Amino acid sequence: CPHRDHRSRGYSDVFSSMAAAPSNVLKRLQKEVAMIASNMPEGCTAGPEDDNMYKWTACVLGPKSSPFAGGKFHLRLTLPKDYPFHPPAITLTTKTYHPNVNNEEGSICIGITRDEEWRPTCTMRDVVQAVYDLLVSPNPDHALDAEIADVYIKDKKKWEKTAREWTKKHANK
């Protein structure tokens, strides 16, 4: 997925832009950027947006084993000032036919990003992996779109067909 991330600039550019951050956050994010560079799930990218270490972009390629195969799903991740003690906020900017996505707001329901499930040991890589996993295995019990969840539960073939159509229409950018 082409987008601006840490690989489009040198590591030193990303890290120099983080100089205003508290040293513990800076060290943590330096480790995360390095981890992402060497250990990201296949088809996924993530990194700081422009020169703001609290704003990240990510892209997840639709898993081959899902109706989202072939799609590119773009995310914005906003880290709180007290990261890693609280989770980032995620906005899915790609319109997606999924029970756990609210297309009006771009919100996505993933357990790891809820305060009660987040742990300071979680990383941005873990967040991107959770989005990938949710594309493979929707969770209609925690739906943000009740109508899509209803189709998923009652007529999975229809849901898969519509999800493929939406992927082709909205997730090829």
Side-chain angles (χ1 to χ4, degrees), residues 3 32 36 40 45-49 52-60 73-80 83 87-93 108 110 112-113 118 123-131:
H3 74 285
E32 289 200 34
I36 285 171
M40 193 60 148
T45 60
E49 183 179 293
N52 186 343
M53 67 174 206
Y54 291 102
K55 302 270 185 204
W56 286 45
T57 58
C59 183
V60 175
F73 299 87
H74 298 274
L75 308 163
R76 280 195 198 107
L77 303 116
T78 305
L79 284 68
Y83 182 82
I90 302 175
T91 302
L92 180 63
T93 60
I108 184 167
I110 301 175
I112 192 174
T113 61
W118 180 262
T123 65
M124 296 300 283
R125 182 206 180 282
D126 297 330
V127 172
V128 173
Q129 179 71 56
V131 172

Side-chain angles (χ1 to χ4, degrees), residues 28-69:
R28 167 69 184 253
L29 289 174
Q30 285 174 330
K31 287 180 183 177
E32 289 200 34
V33 169
M35 179 189 347
I36 285 171
S38 65
N39 189 23
M40 193 60 148
E42 185 178 341
C44 299
T45 60
E49 183 179 293
D50 298 323
D51 290 332
N52 186 343
M53 67 174 206
Y54 291 102
K55 302 270 185 204
W56 286 45
T57 58
C59 183
V60 175
L61 292 181
K64 292 176 184 170
S65 61
S66 77
F68 305 105

Side-chain angles (χ1 to χ4, degrees), residues 4-167:
R4 285 178 286 182
D5 69 2
H6 65 279
R7 286 168 278 193
S8 64
R9 300 171 297 170
Y11 282 118
S12 60
D13 293 339
V14 172
F15 297 140
S16 67
S17 70
M18 297 179 182
S23 64
N24 60 334
V25 174
L26 175 61
K27 287 178 185 175
R28 167 69 184 253
L29 289 174
Q30 285 174 330
K31 287 180 183 177
E32 289 200 34
V33 169
M35 179 189 347
I36 285 171
S38 65
N39 189 23
M40 193 60 148
E42 185 178 341
C44 299
T45 60
E49 183 179 293
D50 298 323
D51 290 332
N52 186 343
M53 67 174 206
Y54 291 102
K55 302 270 185 204
W56 286 45
T57 58
C59 183
V60 175
L61 292 181
K64 292 176 184 170
S65 61
S66 77
F68 305 105
K72 296 176 185 174
F73 299 87
H74 298 274
L75 308 163
R76 280 195 198 107
L77 303 116
T78 305
L79 284 68
K81 295 295 181 190
D82 58 354
Y83 182 82
F85 300 104
H86 288 93
I90 302 175
T91 302
L92 180 63
T93 60
T94 305
K95 202 168 175 181
T96 308
Y97 190 78
H98 194 289
N100 303 105
V101 174
N102 177 324
N103 284 297
E104 300 280 323
E105 302 168 4
S107 55
I108 184 167
C109 183
I110 301 175
I112 192 174
T113 61
R114 291 193 299 260
D115 276 331
E116 61 273 6
E117 292 188 34
W118 180 262
R119 301 290 176 262
T121 55
C122 295
T123 65
M124 296 300 283
R125 182 206 180 282
D126 297 330
V127 172
V128 173
Q129 179 71 56
V131 172
Y132 181 90
D133 293 345
L134 195 65
L135 290 175
V136 173
S137 301
N139 184 351
D141 294 333
H142 292 103
L144 292 178
D145 189 312
E147 288 180 34
I148 294 174
D150 192 50
V151 173
Y152 180 84
I153 292 166
K154 293 179 178 174
D155 190 347
K156 195 162 181 186
K157 287 189 185 291
K158 180 179 178 183
W159 174 81
E160 288 174 349
K161 180 179 186 270
T162 306
R164 276 192 290 281
E165 290 169 357
W166 278 44
T167 298

